[in-house]
Amino acid sequence: MKWIYPLLALSFSSPLWAADTTVAPTSAPEARSEQARDAFVTQLLSKMTLDEKIGQLRLISVGPDNPKQAIREMIRNGQVGAIFNTVTRPDIRAMQDQVMQLSRLKIPLFFAYDVVHGQRTIFPIPLGLAASWDPQAIKTVGRISAYEAADDGLNMTWAPMVDVSHEPRWGRMSEGFGEDTLLTAEMGKAMVESMQGKSPADRYSLMTSVKHFALYGAVEGGQEYNSVDMSPQRMFQEYLPPYKAALDAGSGGVMVALNSVNGVPATADSWLLKDVLRDQWKFKGITISDHGAIKELINHGVASDPRDAVRIAINAGIDMSMSDQYYSQYLPGLVKSGAVSMATIDEATRHVLNVKYDMGLFSNPYSHLGPAQDDPKDTNAESRLHRPQAREVAAETLVLLKNRLGVLPLKKQGTIALIGPLADSKQDIMGSWSAAGVAAQSVTVREGMTQALAGKATLLYAKGSNITDNPLVQKFLNSYGPEVSVDKQSPQQLLDQAVAMARKADVVVAAVGESQGMAHEASSRSDIRIPAAQRRLLTALKATGKPLIIVLMNGRPLDISEQSQQADAILETWFSGTEGGHAIADALFGDTNPSGKLPVSFPRSVGQIPAYYNHLPTGRPYNYLHPDKYTSHYYDAINGPLYPFGYGLSYTTFSVSPVSLSSDQMTQGGHLQASVTVTNTGKRAGATVVQMYLNDPVASLSRPVEELKGFQRISLQPGQSQQVSFKITEDELKFWNPQMKYLAEPGQFNVMIGLDSVRTEKTHFNYQ
Ligand code: BGC
């Protein structure tokens, strides 16, 4: 990122607001060492009754189940530890006031929310952010999100989501960073570091809660909330490292997954929550069950009733229960009967108090609130947004999938027809989990293009189709409130208008794909094509013979096999956030140059799933140069993905030199450098991502055909060259062997470096 974030200096400074509390907290610890924290928490625990301890384990949200008056009573009685889904300072302050004024021990509440890709300013969805392959861009997003959320009074976010996924059918792929372990780990780590800053106690920092522990992204068939069955090798090699990376970066919280792993629901899995998380990884923060997950243990078939579910969850290591009353209801009796020990309650309570201490709440319960007179007059004021940063980050996330004969960038002249149900939708462009964002403040593609073309060219607009004409899908998407609209005009009328408009234009830009809710929690799809109504529209537009540019919006890889034939150019834009329309227009007209790379493979059809790049070799690999019947492939489809992992075009071109190694031998404990020279061989400046993959061709178990082990984003002027080097250490060679030992085995290693996972320069070295 070129610019220097102006809030950085502000964000890490000492408190800007004095505490607005008339009642002093239990005590005000100054030092923040782990020792001081332990001493403080031990002392506080010794003063707490069982009910007060159990109260700390309860996380609830204000709503119909918990109206404000009921919450006031719970707070007075010390029956609630934290609140989520309240996002304005006055509401938060009112509850903290109640704690400080009414409760016996005055243990501050913490306030949490799903700040996943922005708070008031909405940035691209995480899958889009991953397409930037730019940890600095992620840090911008994390810092601004934390700034805006802490400015709203929040202390914790349920993010980052680092569930590696090979499953485009799964709607929550939109919330994660794609199919690769290293990319996900790097993005998650950047998010934690930037959100938490030097300390989550700082005025403009948030504590993170990495989720969903663990393996949620591997739900069978991509079907939401489904089970996961996985070998320990794969778990530790591919799926667990991103959670670990987020914890190593200091994440104070862990949200536990809703799925089961090898038959044990994560919420009941003491191996996962204790052996791995606490004993192996030394995690000292809190574990939080996901929404309603404790009672779901009954549905999972491992608990007989709610009391049993509570017993299992707390004994497995769930500290805080989200959104149910079961801990308060059953823990007192369970402790009395001896089914849950006092030590277990103390341990869970300690974890909650630990994070409250780390959030600085015992020093100042109002540290993210300040005095009431400073509250923003308008929570959604324009001045609270960070638009330039949102536009700049969004630019980096756009992936140019196709550009036949350089049809893009478009010239700002003549007549352009912008068509499609997503072209002017302020809600959809924000993507999932953007609830504190205001749709009215987001810029649509239509608005972005209109501004870009003002006075230079004519922009025609038509909706062209509904998002979907399938009444069952419409009903599903609208089941929790209006989400997709159905136009008063018939599908044929919409289509006819669009075609008539296309005929008048020099070029057609079609903004199509998924609505916001189609790529979200509980949005699994068995068909990952663009909905039929929009496919029909594209076919009609293609038939006009006008150049067709597709602007895709979606939260998962789609099967665009048909559209990749029809379109002259395809720009993958994900859901690009508040400034999405500007960023997309900038790219379409060449004011910026697309540089995003796919963080996930695009399959040719749903039948090809899973289609991830780092798969294991088979005994009968398919060779497209010498196809043979008895090899591993689908005989009715072209082998391999439509667009591979790491792929993305630019308006310029790049060349990559052969790989040179600092040595062709690496000894134990040693390292070497692999380098290439990348040259901008085109006519304009551009950025690209240089990717290094390794392969261990002979090992004690099959190793992936290639694995991403390093990446660097570089910008080059026309004609400019840059050497890019990657350090290879034993860490890059290690894997979990059949006996679950993490080691590097001697032998040959292949090194592949390129600008995507397919077209690479190759060499090898020997490790002994
Ligand atoms: C989701 C979590 C989310 C929580 C709170 C759950 O349904 O699975 O990711 O953080 O709700 O909103």
Side-chain angles (χ1 to χ4, degrees), residues 84-85 113-114 116 158-159 161 172 175 211-212 216 224-225 255-256 258 289-291 322 433 521:
F84 74 115
N85 284 347
Y113 196 53
D114 288 278
V116 178
W158 310 137
M161 195 274 234
R172 302 197 80 168
E175 294 171 54
K211 66 187 185 185
H212 303 83
Y216 191 12
E224 186 62 298
Y225 313 128
M255 186 185 289
V256 178
L258 293 162
S289 67
D290 201 348
H291 203 282
M322 186 194 282
W433 298 105
E521 182 178 348

Side-chain angles (χ1 to χ4, degrees), residues 83-151:
I83 304 281
F84 74 115
N85 284 347
T86 297
V87 283
T88 64
R89 275 200 239 168
D91 285 345
I92 291 176
R93 184 182 296 99
M95 286 186 262
Q96 203 69 299
D97 278 346
Q98 289 162 10
V99 172
M100 303 317 289
Q101 289 159 14
L102 307 176
S103 72
R104 189 178 81 90
L105 286 174
K106 308 186 194 320
I107 300 173
L109 296 164
F110 73 76
F111 295 86
Y113 196 53
D114 288 278
V115 185
V116 178
H117 53 112
Q119 171 71 352
R120 302 291 167 185
T121 309
I122 301 302
F123 290 89
I125 55 166
L127 190 61
L129 294 177
S132 75
W133 294 57
D134 184 359
Q136 284 313 314
I138 306 303
K139 286 188 175 177
T140 300
V141 176
R143 191 84 292 278
I144 292 176
S145 306
Y147 178 91
E148 291 182 1
D151 199 39

Side-chain angles (χ1 to χ4, degrees), residues 399-401 594-598 644 646-650 688 691 755-756:
V399 186
L400 185 62
L401 295 177
S595 57
K597 300 280 189 170
L598 292 180
Y647 169 85
L649 302 170
S650 164
T688 189
Q691 305 158 33
L755 305 181
D756 62 48

Side-chain angles (χ1 to χ4, degrees), residues 678-700:
V678 182
T679 304
N680 180 342
T681 50
K683 292 204 171 59
R684 53 173 298 169
T688 189
V689 179
V690 189
Q691 305 158 33
M692 179 184 74
Y693 300 86
L694 293 185
N695 160 247
D696 184 350
V698 183
S700 54

